[in-house]
Amino acid sequence: MKKIEHIGIAVNDLQQASNLYEVLLGTSCYKTEEVASEGVRTAFFKTGENKIELLEATLPDSPIAKFIAKKGEGIHHIAFDVEDIVLEMARLKEAGFTLLNEVPKKGADHKLVCFVHPKGTNGVLVELCQEIR
């Protein structure tokens, strides 16, 4: 894992949260995107090397909707940039971690992604991200 790629924050209202984060971070959202396969709409912010992803559910049974119903708004996941997502997935699986998908899938911000189950990471949902080449 090369670096923290971004921190994902689940929100009820993407527009309201985007307005808040624009003021908080002192920068504009640089990208919004819908990932229909995950039932989510996203907004990305960057300050220096750091990125924040806001996530709003678009479907009532999406992972983000379920997260907010259970835990409320807040930090949803931490994402790590990896050089080779397939090799990193194999390494983690071999080490005993449970992956939430068997193959990488297309995520937001031009990335291939895979999630690691939080039961094996002290309650933290971990996302692996690789730039689509």
Side-chain angles (χ1 to χ4, degrees), residues 37 41 64 90:
S37 63
R41 189 174 7 266
I64 294 301

Side-chain angles (χ1 to χ4, degrees), residues 5 9 48 58 86 111 115 117 119:
E5 210 289 324
I9 301 173
T58 59
V86 173
K111 304 278 192 258
F115 287 91
H117 199 292
K119 287 184 181 173

Side-chain angles (χ1 to χ4, degrees), residues 57-128:
T58 59
L59 299 171
D61 63 342
S62 71
I64 294 301
K66 290 176 184 176
F67 176 88
I68 290 174
K70 184 176 180 180
K71 297 186 177 185
E73 293 180 293
I75 294 177
H76 178 260
H77 67 269
I78 185 166
F80 292 93
D81 183 37
V82 299
E83 186 65 37
D84 186 324
I85 196 167
V86 173
L87 287 177
E88 193 64 14
M89 289 171 67
R91 181 185 77 81
L92 293 176
K93 195 170 184 179
E94 177 69 25
F97 292 93
T98 301
L99 305 180
L100 296 180
N101 44 301
E102 291 298 315
V103 296
K105 57 186 174 180
K106 187 177 182 318
D109 205 25
H110 201 65
K111 304 278 192 258
L112 290 175
V113 301
C114 173
F115 287 91
V116 181
H117 199 292
K119 287 184 181 173
T121 56
N122 293 340
V124 176
L125 181 62
V126 171
E127 179 182 16
L128 308 176

Side-chain angles (χ1 to χ4, degrees), residues 5-82:
E5 210 289 324
H6 67 267
I7 295 173
I9 301 173
V11 301
N12 283 315
D13 183 326
L14 191 64
Q15 186 58 57
Q16 181 275 333
S18 291
N19 293 342
L20 182 142
Y21 275 84
E22 284 183 355
V23 174
L24 178 70
L25 300 174
T27 188
S28 297
C29 170
Y30 73 85
K31 181 179 192 176
T32 60
E33 182 176 354
E34 185 165 332
V35 183
S37 63
E38 295 299 309
V40 70
R41 189 174 7 266
T42 66
F44 285 91
F45 294 83
K46 188 168 186 176
T47 60
E49 295 285 320
N50 304 304
K51 286 181 13 185
I52 299 289
E53 177 188 29
L54 302 180
L55 304 120
E56 173 191 62
T58 59
L59 299 171
D61 63 342
S62 71
I64 294 301
K66 290 176 184 176
F67 176 88
I68 290 174
K70 184 176 180 180
K71 297 186 177 185
E73 293 180 293
I75 294 177
H76 178 260
H77 67 269
I78 185 166
F80 292 93
D81 183 37
V82 299

